[in-house]
């Protein structure tokens, strides 16, 4: 008796493997370089814990998935729409990141005030309430205006304009981007949470302040780099 696995379902599954793999690679390529969003996600985990940081990770991955969807649906039109506006996008992103860096640095440098038990973490809680849903929304907004993310997917849009013609291929690519982005952002969230737990266990306020200054300082450097082009 001859058994074959070359039926339509298997053939269809095999057909979406290349775009899925490309999506995984693209998602990691965009997510893995440690930029401002990655630094803020690490800081979220250190200051507020893994659970809250994972909400932020989901927010970042959601925007990456939306950008990937726009890239494969709109194709080269995305690049055409952004052409000539790169400097404006970069400047807006630099101003937003700069504001975040200044606010974060001021909060970290002020240090704990009042009771030592309750206010040490307040020095680094400079980005608003820590409820997971609000953190999710905040990281959605930060990622959406991040010019590095927008530029990366604009480049993808130009390259993918005519690459895949079927809807299955396009959605496989989007799924790959979303899975890869979420996986990497979750790694950052968990790493930040573990590091923060160690710092809190040691009750070392100076180390907490140093981590806050270092993290937001890096965000400030990235803002300056964006501003000068």
């Amino acid at each position: 008796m001859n058994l074959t696995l070359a039926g339509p379902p298997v053939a269809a599954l095999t057909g979406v493997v290349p775009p899925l793999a490309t999506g995984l690679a693209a998602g990691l390529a965009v997510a893995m370089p440690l930029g401002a969003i990655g630094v803020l996600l690490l800081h979220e985990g250190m200051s507020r814990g893994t659970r809250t940081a994972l909400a932020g990770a989901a927010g970042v991955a959601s925007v990456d998935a939306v950008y990937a969807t726009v890239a494969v649906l709109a194709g080269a039109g995305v690049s055409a729409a952004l052409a000539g506006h790169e400097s404006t996008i970069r400047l807006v992103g630099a101003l937003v990141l700069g504001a975040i860096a200044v606010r974060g640095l001021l909060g970290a440098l002020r240090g704990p005030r009042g009771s030592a038990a309750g206010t040490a973490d307040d020095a680094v809680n400079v980005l608003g309430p820590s409820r997971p849903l609000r953190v999710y929304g905040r990281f959605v907004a930060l990622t959406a205006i991040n010019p590095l993310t927008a530029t990366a997917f604009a480049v993808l849009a130009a390259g993918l304009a005519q690459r895949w013609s079927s809807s299955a291929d396009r959605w496989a690519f989007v799924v790959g981007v979303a899975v890869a982005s979420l996986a990497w952002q979750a790694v950052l969230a968990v790493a930040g949470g573990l590091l923060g737990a160690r710092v809190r266990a040691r009750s070392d306020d100076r180390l907490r302040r140093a981590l806050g200054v270092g993290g937001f300082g890096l965000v400030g450097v990235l803002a300056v780099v964006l501003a000068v082009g």
Side-chain angles (χ1 to χ4, degrees), residues 43-212:
H43 193 271
E44 191 75 32
M46 288 189 298
S47 61
R48 291 169 177 159
T50 300
R51 179 171 175 267
T52 303
L54 285 173
V60 177
S62 296
V63 175
D64 285 351
V66 170
Y67 278 176
T69 301
V70 173
V72 297
L73 294 181
V78 176
S79 296
L82 294 176
H85 303 286
E86 293 87 352
S87 297
T88 301
I89 295 172
R90 189 172 63 245
L91 182 58
V92 170
L95 290 173
V96 173
L97 293 178
I100 292 171
V102 170
R103 187 180 179 189
L105 285 170
L106 289 176
L109 290 172
R110 272 198 300 267
R113 299 186 305 274
S115 66
T119 58
D121 286 335
D122 293 341
V124 292
N125 281 346
V126 295
L127 294 179
S130 60
R131 291 181 182 178
L133 186 59
R134 292 180 179 178
V135 172
Y136 172 87
R138 185 162 64 245
F139 273 89
V140 164
L142 289 172
T143 308
I145 62 173
N146 181 15
L148 298 180
T149 303
T151 301
F153 280 103
V155 172
L156 283 176
L160 296 174
Q162 305 298 327
R163 185 178 180 88
W164 298 304
S165 57
S166 73
S167 296
D169 288 347
R170 292 170 180 169
W171 288 116
F173 173 82
V174 172
V175 169
V177 168
V179 169
S181 176
L182 180 59
W184 180 251
Q185 310 306 336
V187 168
L188 294 179
V190 172
L194 292 175
L195 180 58
R198 284 196 174 192
V199 172
R200 286 188 292 271
R202 293 176 58 183
S203 299
D204 192 337
D205 292 334
R206 287 178 299 179
L207 180 56
R208 265 181 278 196
R209 290 175 63 185
L211 289 172

